[in-house]
Amino acid sequence: MSGSLVLRVRAALSAIKDPSSGRNIIAAGAVGGLSADEDGKVRFTLEVPDGDRRAAEALLKAAESAAASVPGVTGVAAVATAHSAAPHQQQQPAKGGHDNPFGLKQKPRIEAAGEQLSGVKSMIAIASGKGGVGKSTVAANLAVSLSARGLKTGLLDADIYGPSLPTLFGIKGKPEMRDNKIVPFEAFGVKLMSIGFLIDPDEAVAWRGPMVMGALRQLMSDVDWGDLDILLVDTPPGTGDAHISLIQSKKLSGAVIVSTPQEMALADVRRGVQLFRQTNTPLIGVIENMAWMEGPDGSKQFLFGEGGAERAAKDLGAPFLGAVPLYPDLRQASDDGLPVAATEHAAARTFDQLADQIVKFTERA
Ligand SMILES: Nc1ncnc2c1ncn2[C@@H]1O[C@H](COP(=O)(O)OP(=O)(O)OP(=O)(O)O)[C@@H](O)[C@H]1O
């Protein structure tokens, strides 16, 4: 990620006034999760006034244009979130329906959506402080490993900004509908549903918070998940509407946080840990991905620093579940739609060990 680009975008955003506080949107703390990738694509969330749709859209537009005008920015993905109470005060879902992005008949509220998952024994969120840490790769391989041991497993890709499950499992096309329900795909024994099967990811980046929540509700309630021992949910990076929705569904059994070592600066994962703690969601633990690269002689090269995740987990009082090395060929396998956990690859053993801990958690819970 380009640090100086983020600073320049921050400066540009600080020229925009937040109408509700009269301060600039940076000073008002309305901008969240600001990041830029190497290609110059900038992402952030913007807290907008609740109830005044026109004002909210105008503010989002102004912020998008300000970010887009910064030299070096090639694209802006900004999502508006409504002003909201702290997550721990949000146990009750808001009254009334949200948008219905898939145009299906049902429009259940989030708790009702959670109730639709009555055949699912454990729903577990896979979260990360930042994008690109391998959260989806870890989620996909854990799902394959869980399924390989005979557990009925599902994987819901709720990463609205970069759904990767279709690629990771090499699935194309749209899912079928049966009895007004969406039929999940199935690969490697895992039932799969991704927001990417249903919408164009380029459209989704412009979605407002309520649409994100509406889409997630539909992925929970309108997909025919059937009976599952474990449903893993690959969430968008950071903590936002999708996480709040999952918590409000009252169906979430626990959460796993994935991070790379250099991003284990406490601040990066603290927000995630705090959100789950504040909402009494059990934190199953932290997984460090791309922890080291193995040399031909078996030596470990710590490309991003050593042991950062374990230390950070300890500092936060969170369990450390283990580390996944950086395997240069893992990326290719993922791009080819073949999760390594389904192969003889050394990574398969690592994912098995991590899956063991998830199983132990579900047995304890
Ligand atoms: N242990 C690993 N070794 C090598 N490559 C990896 C490893 N884990 C993930 N990758 C690669 O890193 C890239 C990012 O992974 P992935 O898409 O899973 O991250 P993410 O955190 O879900 O990202 P996003 O937030 O953008 O969805 C992918 O190309 C993936 O193949």
Side-chain angles (χ1 to χ4, degrees):
M1 143 166 149
S2 165
S4 64
L5 190 56
V6 167
L7 289 179
R8 280 182 281 136
V9 172
R10 243 179 104 81
L13 291 175
S14 66
I16 312 272
K17 201 162 143 190
D18 173 18
S20 49
S21 67
R23 298 156 74 202
N24 79 61
I25 55 175
I26 292 287
V31 175
L34 177 59
S35 69
D37 65 21
E38 275 140 23
D39 300 330
K41 183 139 190 201
V42 168
R43 297 172 173 189
F44 58 90
T45 60
L46 180 64
E47 219 173 84
V48 295
D50 206 3
D52 186 346
R53 199 179 161 146
R54 207 170 276 176
E57 282 185 1
L59 188 61
L60 183 68
K61 215 165 190 180
E64 282 169 343
S65 323
S69 68
V70 173
V73 171
T74 56
V76 178
V79 172
T81 58
H83 262 304
S84 49
H88 62 281
Q89 295 166 342
Q90 288 198 340
Q91 297 293 345
Q92 294 305 319
K95 287 251 180 333
H98 288 303
D99 292 354
N100 182 20
F102 307 148
L104 295 176
K105 276 189 206 138
Q106 278 172 298
K107 238 166 101 174
R109 298 185 318 170
I110 193 70
E111 220 180 304
E115 282 164 14
Q116 294 284 317
L117 295 174
S118 57
V120 175
K121 289 190 193 144
S122 301
M123 180 163 93
I124 292 168
I126 312 291
S128 69
K130 286 188 176 158
V133 299
K135 168 181 48 62
S136 304
T137 305
V138 169
N141 283 289
L142 284 177
V144 168
S145 180
L146 289 165
S147 157
R149 64 189 69 200
L151 291 168
K152 288 188 201 135
T153 308
L155 176 58
L156 193 172
D157 176 9
D159 190 348
I160 233 126
Y161 311 106
S164 39
L165 188 150
T167 311
L168 283 166
F169 286 89
I171 293 175
K172 289 199 181 86
K174 300 254 179 224
E176 286 178 11
M177 300 285 296
R178 197 188 303 134
D179 302 332
N180 205 33
K181 286 252 182 191
I182 304 165
V183 183
F185 287 98
E186 199 164 329
F188 304 96
V190 182
K191 282 190 180 168
L192 302 162
M193 183 47 58
S194 169
I195 202 126
F197 292 136
L198 303 166
I199 46 105
D200 177 351
D202 289 337
E203 271 172 36
V205 291
W207 278 14
R208 312 296 186 252
M211 290 181 79
V212 172
M213 293 168 129
L216 188 52
R217 274 206 317 270
Q218 289 199 316
L219 285 169
M220 286 163 66
S221 67
D222 293 347
V223 173
D224 185 10
W225 289 108
D227 290 335
L228 290 179
D229 293 306
I230 298 184
L231 176 60
L232 298 182
V233 186
D234 182 7
T235 62
T239 49
D241 298 305
H243 304 81
I244 304 287
S245 295
L246 287 175
I247 291 161
Q248 288 178 336
S249 76
K250 301 201 169 157
K251 187 67 196 172
L252 199 57
S253 321
V256 170
I257 295 182
V258 180
S259 181
T260 47
Q262 85 276 28
E263 282 169 335
M264 289 305 291
L266 283 181
D268 285 342
V269 275
R270 178 171 281 136
R271 269 193 300 275
V273 170
Q274 271 173 351
L275 174 71
F276 293 123
R277 286 227 170 104
Q278 281 174 347
T279 53
N280 294 325
T281 306
L283 183 63
I284 304 172
V286 174
I287 293 177
E288 184 178 86
N289 189 31
M290 309 194 214
W292 64 79
M293 202 160 88
E294 223 154 77
D297 56 351
S299 63
K300 292 177 179 174
Q301 296 168 36
F302 295 93
L303 301 178
F304 305 123
E306 185 178 351
E310 195 158 4
R311 267 197 309 281
K314 207 167 158 194
D315 284 348
L316 291 166
F320 178 65
L321 300 182
V324 181
L326 192 154
Y327 295 104
D329 53 347
L330 192 149
R331 185 185 208 116
Q332 191 55 52
S334 298
D335 289 349
D336 292 345
L338 178 66
V340 284
T343 69
E344 298 295 311
H345 194 284
R349 278 197 304 280
T350 310
F351 286 115
D352 274 346
Q353 283 158 7
L354 293 168
D356 279 344
Q357 312 225 39
I358 298 206
V359 173
K360 276 190 199 134
F361 165 82
T362 59
E363 286 168 354
R364 275 199 312 269

